[in-house]
Amino acid sequence: MTLDTAFRLGPASIFPPADRHVYLDAASVGLSHKGGAAAISAWQYALAEEGTIAFDEQAEVECLDNLNAATARLFNATVDDIAVASSETVLMQSLAWAVMPEAGSKIIATDITHPSTIYPWIRVADHTGASVHWVRADETQSIDPDALEAAIDDATSVVCLSQVEYGTGQKYDLKRFAEKAHRHGAILVVDATQAAGQVPVDAATGVDAVATSTYKWLCGPFGTGMMYVSPKLQELTPGILGWRSHKDMWDFQADRLELPGNAKRYEFGTMAYGTAFGATESIRHLLETGIDKVVAHNRRISKHLIAGLNALGAEVLGPKSDADRSATVAARFPGKNSRDFAKTLKDANVIASLRRDFIRFSPHYYNNIDDIDRGLSAIEAAL
Ligand SMILES: Cc1ncc(COP(=O)(O)O)c(C=O)c1O
């Protein structure tokens, strides 16, 4: 074993399970940043000990500020353009009701997208009379980006993409689809839950909105989501409103509502606030490490994984071109039932996920080449 193959960019001191398991499951639930978990507990215990003495009204106003700031850096946006709530689904739902795509218009989505990316838009489309136009994947579960681009036309109101597909890890060029959408008077809304933390998510691409949860590649907790909202969409009335929606949340006058003049209008109520402190820690660590370094590290280990899977005769799904890949790798094993095979791997301490009829491996910055070799040995033994 050389030092190089043992190198973890996210150290085991912060991610202890990385040393105990072959944990290749960030696309399901990433390992949690230990300092983030401690921050959540500290906040919760302070509340248990002191109630509003530890968490007063001013603290409740300011408690999301650090997460807003960290997310702004993560998305290359300004803090005014960021809202925080409890999950990607909730924020996307609020946005979909704000946008309300008009009757007869088309919402473009891929048929391998995650339900939480598109269900909010299906719900609103059912109400308004818009409809979803599905761009279909081929037999390798790959989407042709040219076909996706060609589907966007003058009847399109919304292009709704998961920046990285949850199953195969295919990633999309946001600038390309933002430009095409805008040429036709449509908007591009993006679910970055499978992207944020493993590839750059850049608001400067012209994307109109980006929502993410924190418990996957951001190595944060369940219970937090963030959304970038472009200035244009900050003029809309969010689909979900609550007491935090008023520009002075302690106003408490129910017969008047003045929304903040920025993305904060999409923050509507209480949440498990402590999770925001945990998410801030884990995002800061990724930013300090450098997303470009994470990309390079993850690419090296996922390429090693793909080469090893190919050598073992596995069918690797998703895009052929390396440029369209993230660290997520989906594979089928000829002659093997994927459900049984995933269980066999788990028994061998290789943690991956069954998705549809394939196994999804999702190594992250706390993994090393040795993990991949251990995983490949377990696969070889099981075959
Ligand atoms: C692309 C994508 N969006 C959303 C989610 C889940 O959303 P939420 O955290 O809001 O439940 C997942 C979970 O697998 C996902 O892969």
Side-chain angles (χ1 to χ4, degrees), residues 352-376:
S353 293
L354 173 79
R355 285 293 176 275
R356 301 194 196 187
D357 65 343
F358 53 81
I359 298 179
R360 180 186 62 188
F361 303 92
S362 44
H364 199 8
Y365 76 138
Y366 43 67
N367 289 116
N368 58 22
I369 293 279
D370 290 341
D371 291 340
I372 303 300
D373 285 339
R374 277 194 290 274
L376 289 168

mmCIF file with all atom_site columns, all heavy atoms in Angstrom, residues 352-376:
data_model
loop_
_atom_site.group_PDB
_atom_site.id
_atom_site.type_symbol
_atom_site.label_atom_id
_atom_site.label_alt_id
_atom_site.label_comp_id
_atom_site.label_asym_id
_atom_site.label_entity_id
_atom_site.label_seq_id
_atom_site.pdbx_PDB_ins_code
_atom_site.Cartn_x
_atom_site.Cartn_y
_atom_site.Cartn_z
_atom_site.occupancy
_atom_site.B_iso_or_equiv
_atom_site.pdbx_formal_charge
_atom_site.auth_seq_id
_atom_site.auth_comp_id
_atom_site.auth_asym_id
_atom_site.auth_atom_id
_atom_site.pdbx_PDB_model_num
ATOM 1   N N   . ALA A 1 352 ? -23.127 0.307  -0.961  1.00 0.00 ? 352 ALA A N   1
ATOM 2   C CA  . ALA A 1 352 ? -23.573 0.966  -2.191  1.00 0.00 ? 352 ALA A CA  1
ATOM 3   C C   . ALA A 1 352 ? -25.101 0.858  -2.191  1.00 0.00 ? 352 ALA A C   1
ATOM 4   O O   . ALA A 1 352 ? -25.687 0.314  -1.248  1.00 0.00 ? 352 ALA A O   1
ATOM 5   C CB  . ALA A 1 352 ? -22.966 0.282  -3.411  1.00 0.00 ? 352 ALA A CB  1
ATOM 6   N N   . SER A 1 353 ? -25.759 1.378  -3.235  1.00 0.00 ? 353 SER A N   1
ATOM 7   C CA  . SER A 1 353 ? -27.234 1.363  -3.229  1.00 0.00 ? 353 SER A CA  1
ATOM 8   C C   . SER A 1 353 ? -27.801 0.623  -4.424  1.00 0.00 ? 353 SER A C   1
ATOM 9   O O   . SER A 1 353 ? -27.278 0.743  -5.535  1.00 0.00 ? 353 SER A O   1
ATOM 10  C CB  . SER A 1 353 ? -27.789 2.786  -3.302  1.00 0.00 ? 353 SER A CB  1
ATOM 11  O OG  . SER A 1 353 ? -27.481 3.487  -2.146  1.00 0.00 ? 353 SER A OG  1
ATOM 12  N N   . LEU A 1 354 ? -28.904 -0.059 -4.172  1.00 0.00 ? 354 LEU A N   1
ATOM 13  C CA  . LEU A 1 354 ? -29.703 -0.599 -5.278  1.00 0.00 ? 354 LEU A CA  1
ATOM 14  C C   . LEU A 1 354 ? -30.610 0.529  -5.763  1.00 0.00 ? 354 LEU A C   1
ATOM 15  O O   . LEU A 1 354 ? -31.307 1.156  -4.972  1.00 0.00 ? 354 LEU A O   1
ATOM 16  C CB  . LEU A 1 354 ? -30.556 -1.758 -4.782  1.00 0.00 ? 354 LEU A CB  1
ATOM 17  C CG  . LEU A 1 354 ? -31.548 -2.296 -5.813  1.00 0.00 ? 354 LEU A CG  1
ATOM 18  C CD1 . LEU A 1 354 ? -30.833 -3.199 -6.811  1.00 0.00 ? 354 LEU A CD1 1
ATOM 19  C CD2 . LEU A 1 354 ? -32.672 -3.066 -5.127  1.00 0.00 ? 354 LEU A CD2 1
ATOM 20  N N   . ARG A 1 355 ? -30.565 0.805  -7.046  1.00 0.00 ? 355 ARG A N   1
ATOM 21  C CA  . ARG A 1 355 ? -31.506 1.753  -7.640  1.00 0.00 ? 355 ARG A CA  1
ATOM 22  C C   . ARG A 1 355 ? -32.065 1.104  -8.903  1.00 0.00 ? 355 ARG A C   1
ATOM 23  O O   . ARG A 1 355 ? -31.293 0.646  -9.745  1.00 0.00 ? 355 ARG A O   1
ATOM 24  C CB  . ARG A 1 355 ? -30.826 3.083  -7.999  1.00 0.00 ? 355 ARG A CB  1
ATOM 25  C CG  . ARG A 1 355 ? -30.541 3.967  -6.795  1.00 0.00 ? 355 ARG A CG  1
ATOM 26  C CD  . ARG A 1 355 ? -31.811 4.495  -6.136  1.00 0.00 ? 355 ARG A CD  1
ATOM 27  N NE  . ARG A 1 355 ? -31.561 5.277  -4.929  1.00 0.00 ? 355 ARG A NE  1
ATOM 28  C CZ  . ARG A 1 355 ? -31.398 4.774  -3.697  1.00 0.00 ? 355 ARG A CZ  1
ATOM 29  N NH1 . ARG A 1 355 ? -31.449 3.465  -3.531  1.00 0.00 ? 355 ARG A NH1 1
ATOM 30  N NH2 . ARG A 1 355 ? -31.191 5.564  -2.669  1.00 0.00 ? 355 ARG A NH2 1
ATOM 31  N N   . ARG A 1 356 ? -33.367 1.079  -9.017  1.00 0.00 ? 356 ARG A N   1
ATOM 32  C CA  . ARG A 1 356 ? -34.023 0.373  -10.128 1.00 0.00 ? 356 ARG A CA  1
ATOM 33  C C   . ARG A 1 356 ? -33.383 -1.011 -10.271 1.00 0.00 ? 356 ARG A C   1
ATOM 34  O O   . ARG A 1 356 ? -33.346 -1.759 -9.303  1.00 0.00 ? 356 ARG A O   1
ATOM 35  C CB  . ARG A 1 356 ? -33.918 1.200  -11.416 1.00 0.00 ? 356 ARG A CB  1
ATOM 36  C CG  . ARG A 1 356 ? -34.560 2.588  -11.269 1.00 0.00 ? 356 ARG A CG  1
ATOM 37  C CD  . ARG A 1 356 ? -34.741 3.198  -12.642 1.00 0.00 ? 356 ARG A CD  1
ATOM 38  N NE  . ARG A 1 356 ? -34.986 4.621  -12.569 1.00 0.00 ? 356 ARG A NE  1
ATOM 39  C CZ  . ARG A 1 356 ? -35.304 5.344  -13.627 1.00 0.00 ? 356 ARG A CZ  1
ATOM 40  N NH1 . ARG A 1 356 ? -35.424 4.807  -14.817 1.00 0.00 ? 356 ARG A NH1 1
ATOM 41  N NH2 . ARG A 1 356 ? -35.532 6.626  -13.501 1.00 0.00 ? 356 ARG A NH2 1
ATOM 42  N N   . ASP A 1 357 ? -32.795 -1.332 -11.460 1.00 0.00 ? 357 ASP A N   1
ATOM 43  C CA  . ASP A 1 357 ? -32.221 -2.677 -11.618 1.00 0.00 ? 357 ASP A CA  1
ATOM 44  C C   . ASP A 1 357 ? -30.687 -2.645 -11.668 1.00 0.00 ? 357 ASP A C   1
ATOM 45  O O   . ASP A 1 357 ? -30.054 -3.502 -12.260 1.00 0.00 ? 357 ASP A O   1
ATOM 46  C CB  . ASP A 1 357 ? -32.771 -3.348 -12.893 1.00 0.00 ? 357 ASP A CB  1
ATOM 47  C CG  . ASP A 1 357 ? -32.333 -2.620 -14.153 1.00 0.00 ? 357 ASP A CG  1
ATOM 48  O OD1 . ASP A 1 357 ? -31.900 -1.437 -14.040 1.00 0.00 ? 357 ASP A OD1 1
ATOM 49  O OD2 . ASP A 1 357 ? -32.395 -3.209 -15.246 1.00 0.00 ? 357 ASP A OD2 1
ATOM 50  N N   . PHE A 1 358 ? -30.098 -1.613 -11.042 1.00 0.00 ? 358 PHE A N   1
ATOM 51  C CA  . PHE A 1 358 ? -28.632 -1.538 -11.053 1.00 0.00 ? 358 PHE A CA  1
ATOM 52  C C   . PHE A 1 358 ? -28.119 -1.177 -9.655  1.00 0.00 ? 358 PHE A C   1
ATOM 53  O O   . PHE A 1 358 ? -28.883 -0.834 -8.761  1.00 0.00 ? 358 PHE A O   1
ATOM 54  C CB  . PHE A 1 358 ? -28.137 -0.543 -12.104 1.00 0.00 ? 358 PHE A CB  1
ATOM 55  C CG  . PHE A 1 358 ? -28.748 0.845  -12.015 1.00 0.00 ? 358 PHE A CG  1
ATOM 56  C CD1 . PHE A 1 358 ? -28.283 1.778  -11.100 1.00 0.00 ? 358 PHE A CD1 1
ATOM 57  C CD2 . PHE A 1 358 ? -29.797 1.218  -12.856 1.00 0.00 ? 358 PHE A CD2 1
ATOM 58  C CE1 . PHE A 1 358 ? -28.827 3.044  -11.020 1.00 0.00 ? 358 PHE A CE1 1
ATOM 59  C CE2 . PHE A 1 358 ? -30.360 2.498  -12.783 1.00 0.00 ? 358 PHE A CE2 1
ATOM 60  C CZ  . PHE A 1 358 ? -29.871 3.407  -11.852 1.00 0.00 ? 358 PHE A CZ  1
ATOM 61  N N   . ILE A 1 359 ? -26.791 -1.286 -9.541  1.00 0.00 ? 359 ILE A N   1
ATOM 62  C CA  . ILE A 1 359 ? -26.162 -0.905 -8.278  1.00 0.00 ? 359 ILE A CA  1
ATOM 63  C C   . ILE A 1 359 ? -25.431 0.413  -8.500  1.00 0.00 ? 359 ILE A C   1
ATOM 64  O O   . ILE A 1 359 ? -24.748 0.586  -9.510  1.00 0.00 ? 359 ILE A O   1
ATOM 65  C CB  . ILE A 1 359 ? -25.203 -1.991 -7.773  1.00 0.00 ? 359 ILE A CB  1
ATOM 66  C CG1 . ILE A 1 359 ? -26.018 -3.262 -7.527  1.00 0.00 ? 359 ILE A CG1 1
ATOM 67  C CG2 . ILE A 1 359 ? -24.489 -1.554 -6.504  1.00 0.00 ? 359 ILE A CG2 1
ATOM 68  C CD1 . ILE A 1 359 ? -25.230 -4.435 -7.059  1.00 0.00 ? 359 ILE A CD1 1
ATOM 69  N N   . ARG A 1 360 ? -25.635 1.321  -7.572  1.00 0.00 ? 360 ARG A N   1
ATOM 70  C CA  . ARG A 1 360 ? -25.029 2.643  -7.705  1.00 0.00 ? 360 ARG A CA  1
ATOM 71  C C   . ARG A 1 360 ? -23.896 2.795  -6.676  1.00 0.00 ? 360 ARG A C   1
ATOM 72  O O   . ARG A 1 360 ? -24.132 2.664  -5.478  1.00 0.00 ? 360 ARG A O   1
ATOM 73  C CB  . ARG A 1 360 ? -26.090 3.718  -7.473  1.00 0.00 ? 360 ARG A CB  1
ATOM 74  C CG  . ARG A 1 360 ? -25.542 5.129  -7.599  1.00 0.00 ? 360 ARG A CG  1
ATOM 75  C CD  . ARG A 1 360 ? -26.594 6.142  -7.230  1.00 0.00 ? 360 ARG A CD  1
ATOM 76  N NE  . ARG A 1 360 ? -27.025 6.013  -5.838  1.00 0.00 ? 360 ARG A NE  1
ATOM 77  C CZ  . ARG A 1 360 ? -28.049 6.673  -5.307  1.00 0.00 ? 360 ARG A CZ  1
ATOM 78  N NH1 . ARG A 1 360 ? -28.764 7.465  -6.048  1.00 0.00 ? 360 ARG A NH1 1
ATOM 79  N NH2 . ARG A 1 360 ? -28.361 6.517  -4.022  1.00 0.00 ? 360 ARG A NH2 1
ATOM 80  N N   . PHE A 1 361 ? -22.706 3.076  -7.175  1.00 0.00 ? 361 PHE A N   1
ATOM 81  C CA  . PHE A 1 361 ? -21.554 3.330  -6.308  1.00 0.00 ? 361 PHE A CA  1
ATOM 82  C C   . PHE A 1 361 ? -21.291 4.834  -6.335  1.00 0.00 ? 361 PHE A C   1
ATOM 83  O O   . PHE A 1 361 ? -21.245 5.435  -7.414  1.00 0.00 ? 361 PHE A O   1
ATOM 84  C CB  . PHE A 1 361 ? -20.314 2.603  -6.845  1.00 0.00 ? 361 PHE A CB  1
ATOM 85  C CG  . PHE A 1 361 ? -20.494 1.108  -6.991  1.00 0.00 ? 361 PHE A CG  1
ATOM 86  C CD1 . PHE A 1 361 ? -20.931 0.558  -8.198  1.00 0.00 ? 361 PHE A CD1 1
ATOM 87  C CD2 . PHE A 1 361 ? -20.234 0.260  -5.924  1.00 0.00 ? 361 PHE A CD2 1
ATOM 88  C CE1 . PHE A 1 361 ? -21.105 -0.817 -8.333  1.00 0.00 ? 361 PHE A CE1 1
ATOM 89  C CE2 . PHE A 1 361 ? -20.407 -1.118 -6.053  1.00 0.00 ? 361 PHE A CE2 1
ATOM 90  C CZ  . PHE A 1 361 ? -20.842 -1.658 -7.258  1.00 0.00 ? 361 PHE A CZ  1
ATOM 91  N N   . SER A 1 362 ? -21.109 5.432  -5.188  1.00 0.00 ? 362 SER A N   1
ATOM 92  C CA  . SER A 1 362 ? -20.888 6.881  -5.181  1.00 0.00 ? 362 SER A CA  1
ATOM 93  C C   . SER A 1 362 ? -19.788 7.260  -4.196  1.00 0.00 ? 362 SER A C   1
ATOM 94  O O   . SER A 1 362 ? -20.054 7.663  -3.073  1.00 0.00 ? 362 SER A O   1
ATOM 95  C CB  . SER A 1 362 ? -22.200 7.621  -4.892  1.00 0.00 ? 362 SER A CB  1
ATOM 96  O OG  . SER A 1 362 ? -22.922 7.021  -3.852  1.00 0.00 ? 362 SER A OG  1
ATOM 97  N N   . PRO A 1 363 ? -18.530 7.122  -4.653  1.00 0.00 ? 363 PRO A N   1
ATOM 98  C CA  . PRO A 1 363 ? -17.398 7.497  -3.814  1.00 0.00 ? 363 PRO A CA  1
ATOM 99  C C   . PRO A 1 363 ? -17.281 9.014  -3.689  1.00 0.00 ? 363 PRO A C   1
ATOM 100 O O   . PRO A 1 363 ? -17.649 9.743  -4.615  1.00 0.00 ? 363 PRO A O   1
ATOM 101 C CB  . PRO A 1 363 ? -16.193 6.921  -4.575  1.00 0.00 ? 363 PRO A CB  1
ATOM 102 C CG  . PRO A 1 363 ? -16.626 6.823  -5.997  1.00 0.00 ? 363 PRO A CG  1
ATOM 103 C CD  . PRO A 1 363 ? -18.120 6.589  -5.973  1.00 0.00 ? 363 PRO A CD  1
ATOM 104 N N   . HIS A 1 364 ? -16.766 9.473  -2.574  1.00 0.00 ? 364 HIS A N   1
ATOM 105 C CA  . HIS A 1 364 ? -16.632 10.924 -2.347  1.00 0.00 ? 364 HIS A CA  1
ATOM 106 C C   . HIS A 1 364 ? -15.234 11.219 -1.806  1.00 0.00 ? 364 HIS A C   1
ATOM 107 O O   . HIS A 1 364 ? -14.401 10.319 -1.713  1.00 0.00 ? 364 HIS A O   1
ATOM 108 C CB  . HIS A 1 364 ? -17.740 11.377 -1.388  1.00 0.00 ? 364 HIS A CB  1
ATOM 109 C CG  . HIS A 1 364 ? -18.010 12.856 -1.413  1.00 0.00 ? 364 HIS A CG  1
ATOM 110 N ND1 . HIS A 1 364 ? -17.446 13.724 -2.333  1.00 0.00 ? 364 HIS A ND1 1
ATOM 111 C CD2 . HIS A 1 364 ? -18.792 13.654 -0.611  1.00 0.00 ? 364 HIS A CD2 1
ATOM 112 C CE1 . HIS A 1 364 ? -17.889 14.956 -2.104  1.00 0.00 ? 364 HIS A CE1 1
ATOM 113 N NE2 . HIS A 1 364 ? -18.692 14.933 -1.069  1.00 0.00 ? 364 HIS A NE2 1
ATOM 114 N N   . TYR A 1 365 ? -15.042 12.474 -1.394  1.00 0.00 ? 365 TYR A N   1
ATOM 115 C CA  . TYR A 1 365 ? -13.668 12.908 -1.080  1.00 0.00 ? 365 TYR A CA  1
ATOM 116 C C   . TYR A 1 365 ? -13.055 12.239 0.132   1.00 0.00 ? 365 TYR A C   1
ATOM 117 O O   . TYR A 1 365 ? -11.850 12.302 0.316   1.00 0.00 ? 365 TYR A O   1
ATOM 118 C CB  . TYR A 1 365 ? -13.585 14.434 -1.021  1.00 0.00 ? 365 TYR A CB  1
ATOM 119 C CG  . TYR A 1 365 ? -14.130 15.169 0.194   1.00 0.00 ? 365 TYR A CG  1
ATOM 120 C CD1 . TYR A 1 365 ? -13.417 16.234 0.747   1.00 0.00 ? 365 TYR A CD1 1
ATOM 121 C CD2 . TYR A 1 365 ? -15.366 14.871 0.765   1.00 0.00 ? 365 TYR A CD2 1
ATOM 122 C CE1 . TYR A 1 365 ? -13.897 16.963 1.814   1.00 0.00 ? 365 TYR A CE1 1
ATOM 123 C CE2 . TYR A 1 365 ? -15.859 15.596 1.837   1.00 0.00 ? 365 TYR A CE2 1
ATOM 124 C CZ  . TYR A 1 365 ? -15.122 16.630 2.359   1.00 0.00 ? 365 TYR A CZ  1
ATOM 125 O OH  . TYR A 1 365 ? -15.617 17.348 3.425   1.00 0.00 ? 365 TYR A OH  1
ATOM 126 N N   . TYR A 1 366 ? -13.902 11.570 0.947   1.00 0.00 ? 366 TYR A N   1
ATOM 127 C CA  . TYR A 1 366 ? -13.348 10.823 2.097   1.00 0.00 ? 366 TYR A CA  1
ATOM 128 C C   . TYR A 1 366 ? -12.933 9.399  1.705   1.00 0.00 ? 366 TYR A C   1
ATOM 129 O O   . TYR A 1 366 ? -12.473 8.643  2.544   1.00 0.00 ? 366 TYR A O   1
ATOM 130 C CB  . TYR A 1 366 ? -14.366 10.791 3.248   1.00 0.00 ? 366 TYR A CB  1
ATOM 131 C CG  . TYR A 1 366 ? -15.788 10.506 2.811   1.00 0.00 ? 366 TYR A CG  1
ATOM 132 C CD1 . TYR A 1 366 ? -16.153 9.274  2.281   1.00 0.00 ? 366 TYR A CD1 1
ATOM 133 C CD2 . TYR A 1 366 ? -16.765 11.496 2.889   1.00 0.00 ? 366 TYR A CD2 1
ATOM 134 C CE1 . TYR A 1 366 ? -17.442 9.021  1.854   1.00 0.00 ? 366 TYR A CE1 1
ATOM 135 C CE2 . TYR A 1 366 ? -18.063 11.257 2.459   1.00 0.00 ? 366 TYR A CE2 1
ATOM 136 C CZ  . TYR A 1 366 ? -18.384 10.024 1.943   1.00 0.00 ? 366 TYR A CZ  1
ATOM 137 O OH  . TYR A 1 366 ? -19.662 9.765  1.513   1.00 0.00 ? 366 TYR A OH  1
ATOM 138 N N   . ASN A 1 367 ? -13.144 9.017  0.447   1.00 0.00 ? 367 ASN A N   1
ATOM 139 C CA  . ASN A 1 367 ? -12.700 7.684  -0.017  1.00 0.00 ? 367 ASN A CA  1
ATOM 140 C C   . ASN A 1 367 ? -11.291 7.772  -0.594  1.00 0.00 ? 367 ASN A C   1
ATOM 141 O O   . ASN A 1 367 ? -10.795 8.859  -0.896  1.00 0.00 ? 367 ASN A O   1
ATOM 142 C CB  . ASN A 1 367 ? -13.641 7.143  -1.101  1.00 0.00 ? 367 ASN A CB  1
ATOM 143 C CG  . ASN A 1 367 ? -14.981 6.741  -0.541  1.00 0.00 ? 367 ASN A CG  1
ATOM 144 O OD1 . ASN A 1 367 ? -16.009 7.330  -0.886  1.00 0.00 ? 367 ASN A OD1 1
ATOM 145 N ND2 . ASN A 1 367 ? -14.999 5.744  0.322   1.00 0.00 ? 367 ASN A ND2 1
ATOM 146 N N   . ASN A 1 368 ? -10.676 6.593  -0.734  1.00 0.00 ? 368 ASN A N   1
ATOM 147 C CA  . ASN A 1 368 ? -9.364  6.528  -1.392  1.00 0.00 ? 368 ASN A CA  1
ATOM 148 C C   . ASN A 1 368 ? -9.345  5.355  -2.377  1.00 0.00 ? 368 ASN A C   1
ATOM 149 O O   . ASN A 1 368 ? -10.319 4.592  -2.477  1.00 0.00 ? 368 ASN A O   1
ATOM 150 C CB  . ASN A 1 368 ? -8.242  6.440  -0.348  1.00 0.00 ? 368 ASN A CB  1
ATOM 151 C CG  . ASN A 1 368 ? -8.393  5.235  0.571   1.00 0.00 ? 368 ASN A CG  1
ATOM 152 O OD1 . ASN A 1 368 ? -9.065  4.259  0.220   1.00 0.00 ? 368 ASN A OD1 1
ATOM 153 N ND2 . ASN A 1 368 ? -7.768  5.286  1.740   1.00 0.00 ? 368 ASN A ND2 1
ATOM 154 N N   . ILE A 1 369 ? -8.233  5.245  -3.074  1.00 0.00 ? 369 ILE A N   1
ATOM 155 C CA  . ILE A 1 369 ? -8.098  4.179  -4.079  1.00 0.00 ? 369 ILE A CA  1
ATOM 156 C C   . ILE A 1 369 ? -8.151  2.803  -3.405  1.00 0.00 ? 369 ILE A C   1
ATOM 157 O O   . ILE A 1 369 ? -8.692  1.843  -3.965  1.00 0.00 ? 369 ILE A O   1
ATOM 158 C CB  . ILE A 1 369 ? -6.769  4.368  -4.860  1.00 0.00 ? 369 ILE A CB  1
ATOM 159 C CG1 . ILE A 1 369 ? -6.831  5.642  -5.699  1.00 0.00 ? 369 ILE A CG1 1
ATOM 160 C CG2 . ILE A 1 369 ? -6.440  3.138  -5.710  1.00 0.00 ? 369 ILE A CG2 1
ATOM 161 C CD1 . ILE A 1 369 ? -7.552  5.541  -7.030  1.00 0.00 ? 369 ILE A CD1 1
ATOM 162 N N   . ASP A 1 370 ? -7.620  2.729  -2.201  1.00 0.00 ? 370 ASP A N   1
ATOM 163 C CA  . ASP A 1 370 ? -7.653  1.429  -1.493  1.00 0.00 ? 370 ASP A CA  1
ATOM 164 C C   . ASP A 1 370 ? -9.094  0.967  -1.247  1.00 0.00 ? 370 ASP A C   1
ATOM 165 O O   . ASP A 1 370 ? -9.394  -0.223 -1.325  1.00 0.00 ? 370 ASP A O   1
ATOM 166 C CB  . ASP A 1 370 ? -6.915  1.524  -0.152  1.00 0.00 ? 370 ASP A CB  1
ATOM 167 C CG  . ASP A 1 370 ? -5.414  1.659  -0.349  1.00 0.00 ? 370 ASP A CG  1
ATOM 168 O OD1 . ASP A 1 370 ? -4.924  1.319  -1.447  1.00 0.00 ? 370 ASP A OD1 1
ATOM 169 O OD2 . ASP A 1 370 ? -4.743  2.128  0.590   1.00 0.00 ? 370 ASP A OD2 1
ATOM 170 N N   . ASP A 1 371 ? -9.981  1.902  -0.949  1.00 0.00 ? 371 ASP A N   1
ATOM 171 C CA  . ASP A 1 371 ? -11.405 1.544  -0.780  1.00 0.00 ? 371 ASP A CA  1
ATOM 172 C C   . ASP A 1 371 ? -11.936 0.897  -2.059  1.00 0.00 ? 371 ASP A C   1
ATOM 173 O O   . ASP A 1 371 ? -12.654 -0.104 -2.019  1.00 0.00 ? 371 ASP A O   1
ATOM 174 C CB  . ASP A 1 371 ? -12.269 2.798  -0.522  1.00 0.00 ? 371 ASP A CB  1
ATOM 175 C CG  . ASP A 1 371 ? -12.010 3.422  0.830   1.00 0.00 ? 371 ASP A CG  1
ATOM 176 O OD1 . ASP A 1 371 ? -11.473 2.727  1.713   1.00 0.00 ? 371 ASP A OD1 1
ATOM 177 O OD2 . ASP A 1 371 ? -12.339 4.615  0.987   1.00 0.00 ? 371 ASP A OD2 1
ATOM 178 N N   . ILE A 1 372 ? -11.577 1.526  -3.186  1.00 0.00 ? 372 ILE A N   1
ATOM 179 C CA  . ILE A 1 372 ? -12.080 1.016  -4.466  1.00 0.00 ? 372 ILE A CA  1
ATOM 180 C C   . ILE A 1 372 ? -11.532 -0.385 -4.709  1.00 0.00 ? 372 ILE A C   1
ATOM 181 O O   . ILE A 1 372 ? -12.275 -1.292 -5.128  1.00 0.00 ? 372 ILE A O   1
ATOM 182 C CB  . ILE A 1 372 ? -11.673 1.970  -5.627  1.00 0.00 ? 372 ILE A CB  1
ATOM 183 C CG1 . ILE A 1 372 ? -12.188 3.385  -5.365  1.00 0.00 ? 372 ILE A CG1 1
ATOM 184 C CG2 . ILE A 1 372 ? -12.173 1.431  -6.969  1.00 0.00 ? 372 ILE A CG2 1
ATOM 185 C CD1 . ILE A 1 372 ? -13.672 3.552  -5.225  1.00 0.00 ? 372 ILE A CD1 1
ATOM 186 N N   . ASP A 1 373 ? -10.254 -0.577 -4.404  1.00 0.00 ? 373 ASP A N   1
ATOM 187 C CA  . ASP A 1 373 ? -9.662  -1.910 -4.615  1.00 0.00 ? 373 ASP A CA  1
ATOM 188 C C   . ASP A 1 373 ? -10.322 -2.948 -3.695  1.00 0.00 ? 373 ASP A C   1
ATOM 189 O O   . ASP A 1 373 ? -10.580 -4.077 -4.119  1.00 0.00 ? 373 ASP A O   1
ATOM 190 C CB  . ASP A 1 373 ? -8.144  -1.860 -4.401  1.00 0.00 ? 373 ASP A CB  1
ATOM 191 C CG  . ASP A 1 373 ? -7.445  -1.193 -5.592  1.00 0.00 ? 373 ASP A CG  1
ATOM 192 O OD1 . ASP A 1 373 ? -8.048  -1.157 -6.693  1.00 0.00 ? 373 ASP A OD1 1
ATOM 193 O OD2 . ASP A 1 373 ? -6.317  -0.706 -5.425  1.00 0.00 ? 373 ASP A OD2 1
ATOM 194 N N   . ARG A 1 374 ? -10.606 -2.544 -2.468  1.00 0.00 ? 374 ARG A N   1
ATOM 195 C CA  . ARG A 1 374 ? -11.310 -3.476 -1.556  1.00 0.00 ? 374 ARG A CA  1
ATOM 196 C C   . ARG A 1 374 ? -12.701 -3.796 -2.104  1.00 0.00 ? 374 ARG A C   1
ATOM 197 O O   . ARG A 1 374 ? -13.152 -4.941 -2.072  1.00 0.00 ? 374 ARG A O   1
ATOM 198 C CB  . ARG A 1 374 ? -11.414 -2.880 -0.147  1.00 0.00 ? 374 ARG A CB  1
ATOM 199 C CG  . ARG A 1 374 ? -10.157 -3.094 0.690   1.00 0.00 ? 374 ARG A CG  1
ATOM 200 C CD  . ARG A 1 374 ? -10.438 -2.798 2.177   1.00 0.00 ? 374 ARG A CD  1
ATOM 201 N NE  . ARG A 1 374 ? -10.642 -1.377 2.411   1.00 0.00 ? 374 ARG A NE  1
ATOM 202 C CZ  . ARG A 1 374 ? -9.637  -0.514 2.641   1.00 0.00 ? 374 ARG A CZ  1
ATOM 203 N NH1 . ARG A 1 374 ? -8.403  -0.940 2.693   1.00 0.00 ? 374 ARG A NH1 1
ATOM 204 N NH2 . ARG A 1 374 ? -9.886  0.760  2.833   1.00 0.00 ? 374 ARG A NH2 1
ATOM 205 N N   . GLY A 1 375 ? -13.377 -2.772 -2.616  1.00 0.00 ? 375 GLY A N   1
ATOM 206 C CA  . GLY A 1 375 ? -14.707 -2.981 -3.200  1.00 0.00 ? 375 GLY A CA  1
ATOM 207 C C   . GLY A 1 375 ? -14.645 -3.909 -4.404  1.00 0.00 ? 375 GLY A C   1
ATOM 208 O O   . GLY A 1 375 ? -15.460 -4.830 -4.542  1.00 0.00 ? 375 GLY A O   1
ATOM 209 N N   . LEU A 1 376 ? -13.661 -3.672 -5.272  1.00 0.00 ? 376 LEU A N   1
ATOM 210 C CA  . LEU A 1 376 ? -13.536 -4.502 -6.480  1.00 0.00 ? 376 LEU A CA  1
ATOM 211 C C   . LEU A 1 376 ? -13.203 -5.951 -6.114  1.00 0.00 ? 376 LEU A C   1
ATOM 212 O O   . LEU A 1 376 ? -13.716 -6.892 -6.747  1.00 0.00 ? 376 LEU A O   1
ATOM 213 C CB  . LEU A 1 376 ? -12.465 -3.907 -7.408  1.00 0.00 ? 376 LEU A CB  1
ATOM 214 C CG  . LEU A 1 376 ? -12.861 -2.594 -8.099  1.00 0.00 ? 376 LEU A CG  1
ATOM 215 C CD1 . LEU A 1 376 ? -11.643 -1.928 -8.751  1.00 0.00 ? 376 LEU A CD1 1
ATOM 216 C CD2 . LEU A 1 376 ? -13.963 -2.824 -9.145  1.00 0.00 ? 376 LEU A CD2 1
#
